[in-house]
Amino acid sequence: MLQPSQPIYTVAGIRTIETAAMPSAKPPLMERAGRASAEEAVRLMIDRPGALLIACGPGNNGGDGFVMARHFLQAGRKVVVAFSGDTAKLPGDAKKSWEAWRDAGGETLSDLPSAPPEGWALVVDALFGIGLQRPINGRYADWIRALNALPCPRMSIDVPSGLCADTGRVLGVAFKATHTVTFIALKPGLLTLDGPDHCGELVVKRLDLDANSYLPAPGWEVRPALFGDQFAPRRLNSHKGLFGDAVIIGGAPGMCGAPLLSGRAALRAGAGRVFVGLLDPRAPVVDLIQPELMLRPAEDALSEGQAIAIGPGLGRDEAASALLHRAVASKHTLVLDADALNLLATDDTLAGALTRRHAPVVLTPHPAEAARLLKALPDEIQANRLDAALKLAQRFDAHVILKGNGSLIAHPDGRWLINRSGNPGMSAAGMGDVLTGLLAALLAQRWPIEAAILGAVHLHGAAADLLLAKGIGPIGMGASELPDAVRMLMNQWVAQHQHY
Ligand SMILES: NC(=O)C1=CN([C@@H]2O[C@H](COP(=O)(O)OP(=O)(O)OC[C@H]3O[C@@H](n4cnc5c(N)ncnc54)[C@H](O)[C@@H]3O)[C@@H](O)[C@H]2O)[C@H](O)CC1
Ligand SMILES: [K+]
């Protein structure tokens, strides 16, 4: 009997269902995938009595669809299968699945049928999975457009058809799922670029982890425990020196807002002191909204602090370049953002000096800055974000945060992960400045470099998610609203931390 699947736990909006203990002689992988898909579909159809439509493709993704259809047929549900290929050309397992569907009395239509009067209970995309090789066009594209227009839940098997499982790019046209059941492990393309817009609610079915065709996209499962003692409660016998000095440097004439945003964020994320070095000779000597910030002429701020973030509103003139050279020559942990990245992109001596440093460096480019650094076009960066992030990490021997939907973190040794927090409310001016400030604050508090990077990126997005949950955004969410939400999250995590 088909039972609806029950979530074991939800992390960052992704439910992961551990497959119930399998009989010793495990059924073939496709059987397990098709059944797992059917169990998920039952959950989606609980209050929807109508028929189920499954569109099958020419490969094993289609095979999963035939297995799923057979389970529904044997459970007595009305199920319609559309398959426009040649069953004789189906690959091995998929052919067997189709034959089992046929032998169970299932019929296969060669075109998409029109919806019954009561509408479909659910439509299932079993057209293409990880085997998509080229942009989808012709009849499959017509099917996808027609399915996307249907007013009912839409479920994808493994990968929304038309989405590249590696990069999150849409090849031609892509199925817009309300739910995606992916197998064995998350694929990077489900988590970055256009993946999240096409997956809907994402469920990972581990299927007993048989063929690990993809490395799990690490880092998507971000939980306080990842940060170890960083969230241990503060000792009573504390003083601000214990929480470090963060330094933000930027603020060329007319661009002081950016470093002030970074500085304020650094305060909210717990730095003991925050120095903001401003290039503009007419810059204010105090931030009247946040007088805790210690404003300094930029060249004086360089000698402060444990961690220096340089770039917000820095500008690209001689003075900015000279400051950047001094920062790179320093022994500090360094965060390069915004104009510091643009200067780096055109200054090979800086690049050389960067790779000779001992203290860690973090680059925080958005796609256009990454394109300048790699002498590429922004579209090329977005075409394979993971590749671009890894290339930057290697080229500059630095840790990299490639910002955007599903921000990518790449380390110089080639390890990488994708952040799952955040939402379109972050598409607003100043959000990058806030991230830079968060990073400087965690580094100033002597977080290990990888925890600081993951912490800053995750908290940045999680703060935006918290604001969204309160009805603030996505329209009009302001960068200066994030730091208070970050502070709330960090203190919640401290409260959750085991005290003994
Ligand atoms: N690997 C695993 O761990 C599991 C895989 N399963 C399922 O199998 C698919 C992958 O199957 P595969 O046959 O490799 O690829 P697809 O089914 O995605 O399709 C390939 C099929 O489609 C043709 N094709 C590719 N691009 C196009 C295009 N643009 N237009 C037309 N035709 C195209 C190609 O020639 C092939 O014929 C995986 O996603 C899972 O769903 C298991 O069942 C579970 C574990
Ligand atoms: K699919």
Side-chain angles (χ1 to χ4, degrees):
M1 179 56 188
L2 266 183
Q3 294 298 331
S5 56
Q6 296 305 325
I8 299 279
Y9 60 86
T10 297
V11 175
I14 301 174
R15 288 183 310 106
T16 297
I17 313 289
E18 302 298 343
T19 311
M22 284 282 170
S24 51
K26 274 187 296 191
L29 200 47
M30 187 167 285
E31 273 300 316
R32 302 208 298 276
R35 179 168 180 93
S37 305
E39 286 166 355
E40 192 58 19
V42 168
R43 194 179 68 81
L44 301 180
M45 294 160 65
I46 276 183
D47 53 359
R48 300 179 65 85
L52 165 70
L53 170 64
I54 302 180
C56 292
N60 290 321
N61 196 245
D64 295 347
F66 287 121
V67 171
M68 178 179 179
R70 195 189 78 240
H71 279 288
F72 272 95
L73 188 68
Q74 288 163 343
R77 284 296 295 254
K78 177 112 178 63
V79 52
V80 176
V81 169
F83 170 69
S84 73
D86 175 354
T87 52
K89 289 188 186 141
L90 281 167
D93 287 349
K95 183 121 183 271
K96 282 194 207 118
S97 302
W98 172 73
E99 285 161 351
W101 158 250
R102 178 202 57 195
D103 299 347
E107 287 174 39
T108 307
L109 305 179
S110 58
D111 209 339
L112 279 189
S114 43
E118 71 279 10
W120 298 110
L122 172 74
V123 295
V124 176
D125 151 34
L127 292 168
F128 300 104
I130 58 176
L132 186 70
Q133 292 153 344
R134 54 189 183 278
I136 294 183
N137 52 37
R139 167 188 281 245
Y140 286 124
D142 297 342
W143 280 26
I144 288 173
R145 286 191 197 95
L147 294 171
N148 282 346
L150 291 172
C152 64
R154 294 185 296 278
M155 180 177 128
S156 274
I157 291 185
D158 205 26
V159 182
S161 296
L163 188 76
C164 171
D166 291 324
T167 64
R169 279 175 66 208
V170 168
L171 302 184
V173 62
F175 186 78
K176 210 146 164 37
T178 53
H179 299 78
T180 296
V181 183
T182 196
F183 304 127
I184 301 182
L186 282 164
K187 287 83 182 170
L190 302 177
L191 303 176
T192 196
L193 201 68
D194 290 321
D197 274 316
H198 286 82
C199 282
E201 181 189 340
L202 187 51
V203 178
V204 182
K205 296 264 188 170
R206 294 188 191 276
L207 302 185
D208 216 13
L209 288 174
D210 228 1
N212 211 348
S213 48
Y214 270 80
L215 281 176
W220 62 277
E221 187 178 331
V222 178
R223 290 186 282 191
L226 273 177
F227 302 104
D229 289 344
Q230 311 314 328
F231 283 106
R234 291 185 166 189
R235 290 200 319 246
L236 298 177
N237 177 19
S238 290
H239 57 83
K240 60 179 176 296
L242 285 179
F243 307 109
D245 295 344
V247 178
I248 313 290
I249 293 183
M255 297 200 275
C256 287
L260 289 180
L261 272 173
S262 302
R264 291 174 191 174
L267 278 177
R268 289 286 175 272
R273 294 190 302 176
V274 179
F275 294 87
V276 179
L278 300 170
L279 260 175
D280 184 348
R282 293 187 311 282
V285 291
V286 64
D287 176 348
L288 292 175
I289 295 175
Q290 202 83 60
E292 301 94 324
L293 290 181
M294 288 178 269
L295 308 190
R296 293 278 188 286
E299 57 283 355
D300 298 352
L302 261 181
S303 53
E304 308 283 358
Q306 277 79 30
I308 294 183
I310 181 166
L314 182 68
R316 303 180 203 181
D317 65 13
E318 277 303 304
S321 173
L323 262 179
L324 181 55
H325 276 266
R326 278 185 57 201
V328 169
S330 77
K331 304 247 176 307
H332 294 95
T333 295
L334 213 45
V335 178
L336 300 190
D337 182 30
D339 280 332
L341 297 171
N342 294 325
L343 285 167
L344 175 61
T346 55
D347 183 338
D348 289 343
T349 47
L350 260 184
L354 216 51
T355 50
R356 288 192 297 275
R357 289 188 103 241
H358 295 295
V361 177
V362 188
L363 309 180
T364 62
H366 55 52
E369 290 156 347
R372 287 183 205 109
L373 287 165
L374 289 175
K375 314 269 187 281
L377 297 171
D379 283 353
E380 290 167 320
I381 300 296
Q382 292 295 72
N384 195 332
R385 290 167 47 81
L386 178 55
D387 188 48
L390 289 168
K391 272 197 186 113
L392 281 169
Q394 198 184 26
R395 163 90 178 74
F396 295 100
D397 191 23
H399 302 269
V400 174
I401 299 170
L402 178 54
K403 296 182 283 196
N405 184 26
S407 289
L408 280 154
I409 295 171
H411 298 298
D413 65 4
R415 285 172 304 113
W416 55 272
L417 46 87
I418 301 179
N419 179 54
R420 284 285 299 144
S421 65
N423 61 68
M426 302 170 81
S427 313
M431 291 289 177
D433 302 317
V434 169
L435 175 64
T436 296
L438 299 183
L439 197 46
L442 301 187
L443 290 168
Q445 294 170 80
R446 300 175 187 80
W447 283 37
I449 183 84
E450 294 189 14
I453 293 169
L454 178 55
V457 173
H458 179 72
L459 285 165
H460 189 230
D465 291 341
L466 193 59
L467 291 173
L468 202 64
K470 292 178 173 174
I472 301 167
I475 296 168
M477 187 185 288
S480 49
E481 295 174 291
L482 259 66
D484 283 356
V486 167
R487 174 178 59 183
M488 196 184 301
L489 284 169
M490 290 181 79
N491 286 301
Q492 277 173 0
W493 283 7
V494 169
Q496 286 170 12
H497 195 279
Q498 292 305 323
H499 296 283
Y500 31 78

